Amino acid sequence: MKTINRYKNKLHYCYSRSHHVNFYLRNLTTTPNPKFHISMAPNAATPLSTIHAFVQLCARERALLQGKTCHAKIIIVGLDADSLTSNMLINFYAKCGPIDQARKVFDLMPERTVVSWNTILGAYTKNGRDQEALSLFVSMHREGKTPFTEFTVSSVLCACAAKCDVFECRQLHCFAVKTAMESNVFVGTALLDVYAKCGLLRDASRLFELMPERNDVTWSSMVAGFVQNQLYEEALMLFREAQVIGLEQNQFTISSVICACANLAALIEGKQVHAVLCKTGFVSNLFVSSSLIDMYSKCGSVSDAYNVFSGIEEKNVVMWNAMISGFARHALSMEAMILFEKLQQVGLCPNEFTYISVLSACSHIGLVEKGKSYFDLMVKQHNVSPNVLHYSCMVDILGRAGLIHEAHDLIEKMPYDATAAMWGSLLASCRNYGNLEMAEIAAKHLFEMEPENAGNHVLLSNVYAAKSRWGEVVRARKLLKDSEAKKERGKSWIEVKDKVHAFMVGESNHPKINEIYLKLEKLLEDLKDLGYNPETEHDLHDVEDSRKQELLRHHSEKLALTFGLMCLCPGAPIRIIKNLRICGDCHSFMKFASSITGREIIVRDTNRFHHFRQGSCSCREFW
Ligand code: ZN
Ligand code: ZN
């Protein structure tokens, strides 16, 4: 009894100095101490405040066992009828994991306050049990005894966001307007988040514009919403706006913006974000730094990516993967393979993503044997079972090396259904090696799987053209015209003075377009003197319309390059991204342009990066 009292006194003392209590509890929860249970248990004489303090501490420290013992005693002394105590117990169970237990306490409560409803609703949404949260909200509404708070509405909206439930969200929006909660920053932000997650960006941005008060979460939800819906330019514009008003950026906004820069290949903007990161210290966050590596490599600056990578002392496997895939993407296959060895030397284990990168490095420079040995190593030594992407890389490696039949065998034998990407890769290999028979097989599968993709028809007709089978070329072209397949219009982007400029094929809207066409004509003449010969007849790689010469001359990447030559300082590399695969004519144009201007030209197309230097390309004509 003496010990118990001493203990109780100690708890009182400790509670007033919460760090002591934390220390105490931490020790007690890790070292089972029978005295703890006895002494902590409330009895009729224990003051209510002590019990509450204890339940709250158990919740904070996730001390399930101790809390449960306390709960038992609470029932024995009849305190469970007290709504404040019950709310604390609900919170305790929700934090420690057993939500159903929290629900039991909630269901048994004689009197439920708004705090009780909010606690259990919050617990459901935090644990991804969105349907239960929504149905509970409906019963709360039906019961009609308890008024809602902003917290209630935003919790339920979180559940809608996770379920992408627009219908419920709209109902809640009406409800928020009716109850004048719409102007509350938490409710407004939660509404905005649901609309953005459901792809209703117009609703989201209208809400954002109308919000009387916005916090950093509001801004980051809006930026993330744009990025999730691939509206990268809008995301960057909003980020700039936030910077102008001096808003403090959180790491979620920063990560979204890095992602936007990567997708737009906006290197200058990306570097500015990097500078912001260095100031805020987020750069040490492993997640942020691996997205920086990814951003730099997608922006075509693999050396900047490597600087970030080597500047980080403690690297995890995600970071190594980002760097290896960066090297692979830029056809720096040796570097990718060396890094793969180093990763193992530092004691980390390559995972499925590492293998995807290293296999694609092999495919870029046609290392068949090496690719096969990595595939073996992955299965036998690292116990990674190959997924469909690993098979896809292998099909690529074999096909690019001309082992078309072996690639086809692999597709037939693998334990997955073949993807369109695999048949597409095989068809491209058939075009390169003139294998008509296999090209027809691959194309047949592709027409079934992607009836919308015009590129496949063009690829097949190119194979016929290369074999001078003009009858089939005409037939394939007619088939394309008759089919529903639509050709995506060629579009390229280039960043000049931290603004991204977009060019469509045959662009007419850009403010400097006349100047650009004039300069392009002059450039074409100069290149022809050097031996450039526009491939207008039977372009083998063309996925846009190769029959129209004027269109070919005005392919979007040529316009973007010309604009870059006009605006970027002499000697600076020119980086362009393209929404389709670069065509054979533009590829040859870029090679000549790199030699006549002495510039490095980097083109990222849908498949890969092309680094043009001194008249040659890093892809070695293999793409
Ligand atoms: Zn082109
Ligand atoms: Zn190339």
Side-chain angles (χ1 to χ4, degrees), residues 587 610 612 617-621 623:
H587 197 265
H610 300 265
F612 300 91
C617 179
S618 62
C619 76
R620 306 177 199 190
E621 307 304 301
W623 79 93

Side-chain angles (χ1 to χ4, degrees), residues 170 173 192 195-196 200-208 222:
R170 290 219 190 275
H173 193 170
L192 183 158
Y195 283 131
L200 300 168
L201 260 289
R202 274 183 46 194
D203 296 74
S205 30
R206 198 167 43 221
L207 211 80
F208 182 81
M222 196 63 239

Side-chain angles (χ1 to χ4, degrees), residues 505 539 541-544 551-558 578 581-587 589-590:
V505 54
D539 185 85
H541 301 297
D542 192 11
V543 286
E544 292 170 349
L551 218 53
L552 186 68
R553 283 154 83 94
H554 300 156
H555 272 184
S556 57
E557 57 269 57
K558 290 190 180 112
K578 168 98 208 260
R581 198 197 292 240
I582 185 171
C583 81
D585 180 58
C586 289
H587 197 265
F589 172 90
M590 295 291 170

Side-chain angles (χ1 to χ4, degrees), residues 167-424:
F167 180 68
E168 302 264 6
C169 171
R170 290 219 190 275
Q171 282 185 319
L172 280 161
H173 193 170
C174 291
F175 177 79
V177 174
K178 257 196 253 170
T179 51
M181 272 186 210
E182 196 202 14
S183 55
N184 174 278
V185 65
F186 297 106
V187 174
T189 305
L191 272 169
L192 183 158
D193 196 46
V194 189
Y195 283 131
K197 286 213 170 94
C198 301
L200 300 168
L201 260 289
R202 274 183 46 194
D203 296 74
S205 30
R206 198 167 43 221
L207 211 80
F208 182 81
E209 294 303 326
L210 293 174
M211 276 170 82
E213 187 197 341
R214 302 166 190 155
N215 59 19
D216 64 324
V217 184
T218 322
W219 284 86
S220 71
S221 302
M222 196 63 239
V223 173
F226 281 133
V227 172
Q228 280 152 14
N229 291 277
Q230 281 145 33
L231 296 165
Y232 306 118
E233 286 158 54
E234 284 81 352
L236 288 186
M237 262 153 61
L238 196 67
F239 176 67
R240 272 182 230 129
E241 215 179 291
Q243 274 182 311
V244 171
I245 61 165
L247 190 88
E248 205 170 302
Q249 309 290 357
N250 62 32
Q251 72 183 77
F252 302 105
T253 318
I254 300 272
S255 304
S256 303
V257 171
I258 294 176
C259 178
C261 292
N263 280 288
L264 284 173
L267 184 62
I268 303 170
E269 191 96 27
K271 283 194 171 169
Q272 285 168 356
V273 178
H274 190 176
V276 174
L277 276 174
C278 292
K279 261 192 250 164
T280 52
F282 287 142
V283 78
S284 56
N285 175 307
L286 292 185
F287 176 70
V288 170
S289 42
S290 40
S291 45
L292 264 180
I293 296 173
D294 191 55
M295 182 271 288
Y296 277 126
S297 81
K298 282 190 180 146
C299 287
S301 180
V302 77
S303 57
D304 281 316
Y306 193 69
N307 282 342
V308 175
F309 176 77
S310 50
I312 295 154
E313 269 174 36
E314 293 227 350
K315 303 178 187 74
N316 63 6
V317 74
V318 179
M319 222 164 267
W320 285 84
N321 288 351
M323 196 61 238
I324 295 174
S325 102
F327 280 140
R329 197 178 282 137
H330 288 272
L332 295 165
S333 303
M334 281 318 288
E335 284 81 350
M337 287 189 264
I338 291 169
L339 219 58
F340 179 77
E341 298 303 323
K342 276 194 187 161
L343 159 93
Q344 294 171 81
Q345 281 164 15
V346 300
L348 289 169
C349 196
N351 62 19
E352 52 183 305
F353 301 104
T354 329
Y355 274 105
I356 292 172
S357 305
V358 78
L359 285 173
S360 70
C362 291
S363 97
H364 281 316
I365 54 169
L367 297 173
V368 183
E369 288 313 313
K370 194 79 193 159
K372 284 182 181 170
S373 78
Y374 279 135
F375 197 84
D376 267 2
L377 190 73
M378 168 175 78
V379 181
K380 290 185 184 140
Q381 203 171 324
H382 292 123
N383 267 333
V384 176
S385 47
N387 63 30
V388 76
L389 291 173
H390 298 112
Y391 279 105
S392 197
C393 287
M394 285 311 289
V395 168
D396 219 43
I397 292 176
L398 296 167
R400 277 164 186 263
L403 301 165
I404 311 261
H405 283 279
E406 214 175 308
H408 185 239
D409 280 352
L410 190 68
I411 294 181
E412 299 277 284
K413 282 190 199 133
M414 66 173 186
Y416 299 96
D417 287 336
T419 60
M422 284 180 195
W423 291 119

Side-chain angles (χ1 to χ4, degrees), residues 125 128-135 156-168 194 197-198:
T125 43
R129 289 167 67 165
D130 309 303
Q131 192 48 53
E132 277 144 305
L134 287 172
S135 6
V156 184
L157 281 167
C158 278
C160 294
K163 283 181 71 218
C164 249
D165 195 330
V166 190
F167 180 68
E168 302 264 6
V194 189
K197 286 213 170 94
C198 301

Side-chain angles (χ1 to χ4, degrees), residues 19-189:
H19 64 280
H20 281 163
V21 175
N22 284 343
F23 172 77
Y24 232 91
L25 267 173
R26 216 168 349 239
N27 286 338
L28 288 166
T29 45
T30 46
T31 48
N33 182 347
K35 274 183 196 159
F36 175 72
H37 306 287
I38 308 160
S39 55
M40 283 297 115
N43 56 42
T46 316
L48 200 57
S49 60
T50 313
I51 294 167
H52 287 173
F54 187 68
V55 176
Q56 281 173 319
L57 282 173
C58 287
R60 206 178 309 148
E61 295 292 320
R62 312 285 190 269
L64 183 61
L65 192 64
Q66 286 78 4
K68 269 187 166 176
T69 318
C70 188
H71 185 185
K73 290 291 175 183
I74 285 173
I75 296 170
I76 293 169
V77 297
L79 268 172
D80 52 334
D82 172 57
S83 68
L84 185 59
T85 313
S86 298
N87 285 345
M88 284 177 180
L89 281 171
I90 296 172
N91 178 47
F92 155 73
Y93 281 119
K95 286 234 168 82
C96 291
I99 303 180
D100 295 325
Q101 199 65 41
R103 180 63 191 258
K104 265 185 201 156
V105 178
F106 175 83
D107 286 340
L108 288 171
M109 274 172 73
E111 192 196 342
R112 291 170 194 160
T113 62
V114 68
V115 180
S116 346
W117 286 97
N118 285 352
T119 314
I120 191 85
L121 274 172
Y124 276 138
T125 43
K126 256 191 217 108
N127 287 278
R129 289 167 67 165
D130 309 303
Q131 192 48 53
E132 277 144 305
L134 287 172
S135 6
L136 198 71
F137 178 72
V138 174
S139 11
M140 183 181 181
H141 196 50
R142 285 212 185 110
E143 218 185 78
K145 284 186 199 157
T146 332
F148 303 113
T149 64
E150 287 85 358
F151 187 84
T152 325
V153 179
S154 41
S155 279
V156 184
L157 281 167
C158 278
C160 294
K163 283 181 71 218
C164 249
D165 195 330
V166 190
F167 180 68
E168 302 264 6
C169 171
R170 290 219 190 275
Q171 282 185 319
L172 280 161
H173 193 170
C174 291
F175 177 79
V177 174
K178 257 196 253 170
T179 51
M181 272 186 210
E182 196 202 14
S183 55
N184 174 278
V185 65
F186 297 106
V187 174
T189 305

